[in-house]
Amino acid sequence: MRSKLKMRALVCCLMSSALMMVFFGVYPLNPGCKRCDCSVSKKQASEPKSSKKDEENSNYSHKLCILVPFRDRFEELLQFVPHIHRFLSKQWIVHRVFVLNQVDQHRFNRASLINAGFLETADDCDYIAMHDVDLLPLNDELSYAYPENGPFHVASPELHPRYHYKTFVGGILLIRRDHFHEVNGLSNRYWGWGLEDDEFYLRLKSVGLTVRRPENVTTGTKDTFLHVHDRDKRKRDFTKLYNQKELTRKRDRSTGLDTVEYKLQKKYKIAIEGVALSVFNIELICNKTVTPWCDYPEQPVEIGRASCRERV
């Protein structure tokens, strides 16, 4: 009798265990995860969320180097880096920011800095953005995607806050590395402010590259970009010395990517608001026989018995 009772008890325990296993298999302990969804949820957690999968995959297959010519613009840089990172992350753009910091005593040379930055980032990306530090995109319709069909001028004359002539390609321009090589980069003659992008337009035109621009953008010149340049605090160097005005109005067929001279003094990796960036301290080298206007000339000035030198 006792053995029968033990056998019945054992059978009941086994049946109860089996029922409990079935019950918890159908109704997992985690009420937020249905049985059929658990494996999918784990996979989704390791992947970026995107409603535009094709665009995401396309952008992930390319890498963008943002080349920022720079000198004494720290306040603007603090605003630029977090802003552009958030903006590009929305578009799934794989990107890195490179600040090209001119540390020599010559006049500012945006074009030569970009040439140097392009050479130093050869292994980091397959296209670049020549990007002013004081121009922040506001409209999410502005694409920074790989410019497959030719240079893409994000800061088009129809949208830029200040410059509106048809051949303007400054501010923000995306270009493939092979196309930048094809035109031999930018001219190195432009010490001081302006005109280097106008000469670059002629280079693009000479090899048959058509500049494309944003289309069907719903904003205009007042609300597409934030231009954070303070004219009073950050005065442009528009001075033209010697025969600079004459020579820089012409197509330069002598200088470019293959003639830029510089020394890379130091590389820094820093972060602003958690966004990583690289800073290149670049010393540009000026051939004063070719471009004597890289420095202001000096002349002696008498002040009482003392003598000093003054920039003119």
Side-chain angles (χ1 to χ4, degrees):
M1 180 67 68
R2 288 182 179 179
S3 61
K4 290 183 178 180
L5 290 174
K6 288 182 179 180
M7 182 63 67
R8 289 179 181 177
L10 179 61
V11 172
C12 289
C13 287
L14 291 173
M15 291 180 64
S16 298
S17 298
L19 288 172
M20 291 179 68
M21 290 176 65
V22 172
F23 178 82
F24 286 117
V26 176
Y27 301 101
L29 289 175
N30 182 358
C33 179
K34 296 181 180 179
R35 184 182 184 187
C36 60
D37 292 338
C38 286
S39 60
V40 176
S41 298
K42 290 179 181 178
K43 182 179 180 181
Q44 288 175 340
S46 64
E47 296 180 352
K49 297 178 182 179
S50 175
S51 59
K52 299 180 180 179
K53 201 68 177 179
D54 292 339
E55 178 184 353
E56 173 194 333
N57 292 335
S58 175
N59 290 342
Y60 272 159
S61 65
H62 298 285
K63 295 181 180 179
L64 169 65
C65 284
I66 306 168
L67 304 185
V68 184
F70 183 84
R71 176 186 267 174
D72 300 331
R73 305 291 292 276
F74 190 66
E75 293 178 4
E76 288 91 336
L77 186 65
L78 291 177
Q79 187 173 359
F80 173 81
V81 172
H83 179 92
I84 198 64
H85 175 70
R86 289 192 298 267
F87 189 89
L88 296 180
S89 296
K90 293 178 183 178
Q91 299 183 22
W92 303 95
I93 303 294
V94 180
H95 63 279
R96 289 184 62 186
V97 177
F98 295 89
V99 177
L100 313 174
N101 183 32
Q102 185 174 338
V103 296
D104 54 74
Q105 298 302 311
H106 300 309
R107 300 170 71 193
F108 189 66
N109 191 323
R110 178 179 181 268
S112 290
L113 287 173
I114 292 174
N115 283 340
F118 181 87
L119 293 173
E120 293 296 329
T121 59
D123 298 327
D124 294 291
C125 54
D126 55 354
Y127 71 115
I128 66 169
M130 303 188 297
H131 211 304
D132 288 352
V133 72
D134 59 5
L135 196 61
L136 309 181
L138 300 178
N139 190 332
D140 290 338
E141 297 172 345
L142 296 173
S143 174
Y144 278 66
Y146 183 72
E148 181 70 43
N149 299 317
F152 186 75
H153 188 210
V154 180
S156 72
E158 294 81 11
L159 303 172
H160 194 280
R162 291 193 60 188
Y163 303 111
H164 311 300
Y165 55 96
K166 292 182 179 180
T167 58
F168 173 65
V169 291
I172 310 168
L173 181 71
L174 309 179
I175 185 169
R176 289 163 32 181
R177 294 193 70 91
D178 59 323
H179 286 162
F180 196 81
H181 271 294
E182 186 176 359
V183 299
N184 194 26
L186 293 109
S187 168
N188 298 306
R189 289 181 174 177
Y190 293 85
W191 302 89
W193 186 260
L195 298 181
E196 78 287 334
D197 47 349
D198 292 346
E199 199 276 342
F200 190 64
Y201 174 82
L202 298 178
R203 293 182 177 224
L204 298 174
K205 186 177 179 181
S206 69
V207 298
L209 288 174
T210 300
V211 177
R212 297 164 49 250
R213 294 188 166 101
E215 297 179 353
N216 303 319
V217 176
T218 56
T219 52
T221 57
K222 295 182 179 180
D223 52 358
T224 303
F225 298 96
L226 176 62
H227 195 210
V228 295
H229 180 74
D230 187 332
R231 296 186 187 182
D232 295 327
K233 189 175 181 180
R234 311 284 191 191
K235 293 185 178 180
R236 307 290 199 196
D237 177 9
F238 291 110
T239 305
K240 298 294 181 278
L241 303 169
Y242 303 102
N243 59 340
Q244 180 181 7
K245 184 175 181 179
E246 176 187 352
L247 289 180
T248 54
R249 291 285 182 181
K250 299 177 181 179
R251 168 78 162 85
D252 176 14
R253 302 181 186 278
S254 302
T255 76
L257 185 64
D258 60 355
T259 64
V260 63
E261 295 185 71
Y262 69 96
K263 293 180 181 179
L264 181 61
Q265 288 192 353
K266 189 75 174 178
K267 289 183 179 181
Y268 296 95
K269 290 186 177 181
I270 64 173
I272 298 176
E273 295 185 14
V275 180
L277 65 145
S278 297
V279 179
F280 294 171
N281 278 1
I282 298 173
E283 177 187 347
L284 297 178
I285 298 173
C286 171
N287 183 342
K288 293 189 177 181
T289 302
V290 179
T291 57
W293 52 82
C294 63
D295 292 325
Y296 281 96
E298 296 183 348
Q299 66 180 16
V301 177
E302 294 292 330
I303 304 178
R305 293 184 179 180
S307 177
C308 67
R309 304 185 73 81
E310 179 182 67
R311 285 184 174 179
V312 297

